Amino acid sequence: MKEITRRKFIATATVATGFALAVQPISAGVITTDAKGLVAGAVKIPVKDGEIPAYRAAPATGNNFPIVLVIQEIFGVHEHIQDITRRFARLGYLAIAPELFVREGDVSKLSNIDEIRPIVAKVPDAQVLSDLDATVDWAKKSAKGNGEKLGITGFCWGGRITWLYAAHNPQVKAGVAWYGKLVGDATELQPKYPVDIASKLTVPILGLYGGKDTGISLDTVEQMRERLQSSSSKSEIIVYPNAPHAFFADYRPSYREKEAQDGWKRLLAWFKQNGV
């Protein structure tokens, strides 16, 4: 995409309406959180090359809200991710989910995950980290956010980014990574994986993983645990033995209510004990 086209594209891009096409049909038991008493909806975040869309939710009254960055799955900032931001807002947080694939394409309109993967593979980690820095800056300056109480959580693709952003920005107080990939082959666009930054990590991260995840082996989870032992972060990893990948995704068949609810309780307690 030529630079002028990229600029025009991100200037007009918006967050998805509804669920991504590739995840249809949606499970009957999907969790829906309404926006009553909240300020919720799409916003624009100023970044180095223009603006990117994001979805934010916060209490309708008050200020100085603790900030939570909510990092998307491979399906983008679709309804599930937006609903999670509203869940946080109901608990008094300013939650923001920036659309981090927007320059590379609109994954919400693609019907097959095999069409989505090549787009996501083109997203540079450096660009993602810069966009998240800009999102934090926007939250502090334009949305009544308290930069002293900054947390991050992410799912699948966003789980990996949660680890990496915590290493990038030591101002993060705590993070929770849901089944994010821990090891991988370094490329120019994705030069590091969580295992590469684990020993030097200072931010406490709670990793939530599934023992039946066919995409993230338990060997790599144990490798991450070992690396974390030499860090000062006091990070922890929980493995739910019978949970598959995406066990928090209540709109998909992979959802496991017991493990998802336990993970959410652990997330809230982790944020609280670490000052978010």
Side-chain angles (χ1 to χ4, degrees), residues 140-156:
K140 292 188 290 187
K141 293 179 179 178
S142 306
K144 304 178 181 178
N146 182 353
E148 299 298 314
K149 294 186 175 184
L150 174 62
I152 183 171
T153 191
F155 304 85
C156 188

Side-chain angles (χ1 to χ4, degrees), residues 156-256:
C156 188
W157 182 89
R160 172 179 172 270
I161 295 300
T162 295
W163 291 103
L164 296 182
Y165 189 69
H168 166 78
N169 183 0
Q171 293 179 347
V172 175
K173 293 291 187 184
V176 178
W178 301 78
Y179 35 83
K181 192 173 183 181
L182 296 168
V183 303
D185 296 326
T187 67
E188 183 178 355
L189 297 182
Q190 291 92 32
K192 292 184 179 180
Y193 279 78
V195 72
D196 300 315
I197 56 86
S199 62
K200 296 182 180 179
L201 191 65
T202 60
V203 175
I205 303 295
L206 176 64
L208 301 173
Y209 288 81
K212 298 291 180 64
D213 190 330
T214 58
I216 300 175
S217 73
L218 290 177
D219 288 348
T220 65
V221 175
E222 288 307 314
Q223 187 179 349
M224 187 69 178
R225 271 201 180 116
E226 290 179 13
R227 296 283 181 94
L228 287 169
Q229 288 178 3
S230 61
S231 79
S232 62
S233 67
K234 298 182 179 179
S235 296
E236 297 178 14
I237 292 179
I238 303 292
V239 175
Y240 295 101
N242 297 315
H245 189 75
F247 62 85
F248 191 78
D250 52 76
Y251 65 98
R252 295 168 68 183
S254 58
Y255 179 59
R256 297 294 183 270

Side-chain angles (χ1 to χ4, degrees), residues 9-138:
F9 177 69
I10 67 173
T12 58
T14 61
V15 294
T17 301
F19 288 91
L21 192 58
V23 302
Q24 310 287 340
I26 305 305
S27 298
V30 64
I31 296 172
T32 302
T33 307
D34 67 44
K36 185 177 180 180
L38 306 178
V39 175
V43 296
K44 295 284 189 179
I45 306 293
V47 293
K48 290 181 178 179
D49 54 348
E51 292 179 326
I52 61 170
Y55 187 93
R56 69 86 174 82
T61 59
N63 55 50
N64 211 33
F65 303 118
I67 302 166
V68 178
L69 299 173
V70 180
I71 313 303
Q72 65 211 56
E73 313 151 296
I74 197 172
F75 306 111
V77 183
H78 67 143
E79 177 57 28
H80 175 60
I81 299 300
Q82 295 173 26
D83 196 90
I84 291 170
T85 70
R86 296 193 294 271
R87 296 176 206 178
F88 277 116
R90 290 210 166 279
L91 298 171
Y93 291 98
L94 164 63
I96 315 169
E99 180 50 83
L100 299 168
F101 309 154
V102 66
R103 299 171 186 80
E104 288 70 34
D106 183 358
V107 296
S108 72
K109 301 295 193 296
L110 300 176
S111 60
N112 191 305
I113 194 168
D114 291 330
E115 296 177 287
I116 293 174
R117 286 196 178 102
I119 291 175
V120 177
K122 296 176 184 177
V123 181
D125 286 347
Q127 174 182 285
V128 171
L129 300 179
S130 176
D131 284 351
L132 291 175
D133 285 343
T135 302
V136 173
D137 191 52
W138 178 87

